[in-house]
Amino acid sequence: MTKRPLSITLISWIFIGFGAVTFVASLLSLTGLAGQRTAEFPMELWLVPVIRLFAIVSGILMLRGLGWGRWLLIVWMAYHIVLSLFHSPFELIVHSLLFAVVLYFLFRPQAVAYFANA
């Protein structure tokens, strides 16, 4: 098995950590522990924690060398770029730049070899 590139390790752990923090924060807001709960929540708000789980799952899968974890992360990030279209131009630029940097590292020859040999 090809040794995991440091860039894949760092990206994986960043998304596991980010996903975990935002997942917990979204659950706290849904349960009312954050002091923001209203009388009723639309069902769509329950999708937020589920979508945030994708960051955690993709990071774990990439650490294990599974190529579809890489694709899950790409889809997750592309989804956030689409969401950014409805927010500020700054948010769109930041998400797009982050996406470009992550894509660069996910498709470097070392990363491709790592995912191909897992």
Side-chain angles (χ1 to χ4, degrees), residues 38-77:
T38 58
E40 292 184 31
F41 266 74
M43 187 59 181
E44 295 83 32
L45 289 182
W46 284 99
L47 291 175
V48 173
V50 172
I51 290 170
R52 291 179 176 172
L53 275 176
F54 290 151
I56 300 168
V57 171
S58 65
I60 292 169
L61 294 174
M62 289 192 315
L63 284 175
R64 299 199 60 184
L66 299 173
W68 59 279
R70 173 175 57 166
W71 290 107
L72 179 61
L73 182 63
I74 290 168
V75 169
W76 185 83
M77 291 187 72

Side-chain angles (χ1 to χ4, degrees), residues 90-113:
F90 177 74
E91 194 173 324
L92 176 62
I93 291 169
V94 169
H95 278 119
S96 298
L97 288 175
L98 179 62
F99 186 58
V101 169
V102 169
L103 277 178
Y104 170 76
F105 285 107
L106 290 180
F107 288 98
R108 292 183 67 201
Q110 301 92 338
V112 171

Side-chain angles (χ1 to χ4, degrees), residues 17-34:
F18 177 77
V21 168
T22 58
F23 175 74
V24 170
S26 63
L27 286 181
L28 289 176
S29 68
L30 285 175
T31 60
L33 294 176

